[in-house]
Amino acid sequence: MSKIEAPRGTRDILGDESWKWAYVRRVAQGVVNDFGYKEISLPIFEHTELFHRGVGQTTDVVEKEMYTFLDKGGRSITLRPELTASVMRSYIEHNMARGSQPQKFWCIGPMFRYERPQKGRYRQFVQLDIEAIGSKSPLLDVEIIDLSMEFYRRLGLKNLQVVLNSVGCPECRPLYKKALQDFLAPHLPELCESCQGRFDRNPLRILDCKTPSCKAITENAPSILDHLCPDCRAHFDTVIKALEKLGAEIKLDKRLVRGLDYYTKTAFEILSGDLGSQNAVCGGGRYDNLAEAIGGVSTPGVGFASGLERVVLTMESQGATFGKEPRNRAYIVTADDTAVLEAARTANILRASHIATDMDYMSRSVKAQMKTASGTSDFAVILGQSEIEQHNYTLKNMATGEQETLSLEELIDKLK
Ligand code: HAM
């Protein structure tokens, strides 16, 4: 029979990598605690309509990339391609506007997008998602950007660039859209096929097309920053001023428009110089009209999400540390079969004393067991016939080779 493999675009994260993920999660938890964010756990699937109305019908995510199916009750269900719409759905559903504002959330979990897989781009991937809902303050945008930078700083990531733009609001964006269409209209036949399709439906997306001919055409396109209404302009200026005060190095990028329709005002990404074409380690921004789009009352919000595969890849390529790979403290080596019951009892006692312990379950030779002990553990606890008769243990330090004979109490004390 043919072998069954993991679906394209998914990855098994195995033991030799998962401890690195555990480290990244621990660092994330430390950062979110220090910024006062609370964990939120939401469903992996939602009603499809949430993403149609929240993320936007004309986005690539909704048009091409969603895992959508009818459940056995005939409802259209979608595996979440992102979390912002779900967090806002939950905020509205649980009337969180009643509590003190803003409410701040964090979550780590899998997202699903039917994209063409390549390095740093998967069909199932893990995001750290951060959302702050309920305040219009530009200083909250700054907090979000600061949080993302603090996360990468603690992980030791280098060679990152923060790029920032404003995508305006429903008042000023239509005027900019018109100016952009007027500029692009004479070049329409030279745009790539996708951008020709975007011209009427979503012209701002043409600005971040990677096709060289489109890039050349949009080089001199009007900038949205010259078309912001006074409110969006003042908001953007405060964000920049406050980031400068924090000493953050940022680059303004008039082409940055983000791929999801809910954004208003601030949009940002952090790019890694070590990732190739899928170089955004995170992306985010403000989304003051999302709540209304999904049936709530007007509620501002701002947040970002970071793809953790890309974070781990960047750390690996930069040789960043993931802390110490966890090792067992003790490996019990049995000299013959008569010792195995005693070995199992000793393992039970050591584990109950919070000493990470493993033992042999394959009746292997002492030599093979010692090899495993040296590869996986700090100490070998050797149990042979004489140790069993004399109720003691031989403890071998795998780094120095030193050996000593100890009672059970001494063994526990030493290993702790
Ligand atoms: P996004 O830019 O679509 O934004 O995704 C955020 C991050 O998720 C990206 O910068 C990247 O690191 C990672 N990512 C996205 N797609 C993939 C993929 N196929 N494979 C691997 N990593 C990927 C959002 O999702 C927004 N919800 C962010 C946000 C939160 N905005 C406001 N609040």
Side-chain angles (χ1 to χ4, degrees), residues 63 69 103-104 119 126 165 171 173 194 205 209 232 236 270 278 284 291 306 315 352 355 397:
E63 275 186 345
F69 56 95
Q103 298 262 326
K104 301 177 176 183
K119 184 182 168 198
V126 177
N165 195 16
E171 198 181 306
R173 200 180 311 146
S194 315
R205 290 292 312 199
C209 177
C232 288
F236 193 57
I270 299 186
Q278 300 307 309
S306 180
M315 288 177 70
I355 296 165
N397 183 321

Side-chain angles (χ1 to χ4, degrees), residues 61 65 81-85 111 113 115-116 118 120-127 129-131 152 258-260 262-263 268-270 275 278-287 302-311:
V61 169
E65 296 170 2
E82 62 105 51
L83 259 174
T84 312
M111 309 296 145
R113 295 185 193 176
E115 293 198 81
R116 202 149 35 83
Q118 63 182 85
R121 187 163 74 193
Y122 311 98
R123 290 182 175 168
Q124 176 175 333
F125 56 97
V126 177
Q127 278 186 345
D129 186 77
I130 304 284
E131 311 290 354
Y152 303 130
R258 310 276 301 126
L260 312 160
Y262 47 62
Y263 290 110
F268 78 101
E269 286 183 353
I270 299 186
L275 270 180
Q278 300 307 309
N279 61 348
V281 286
C282 83
R286 181 161 275 285
Y287 45 87
V302 58
F304 78 89
S306 180
L308 296 190
E309 286 83 0
R310 293 185 192 180
V311 169

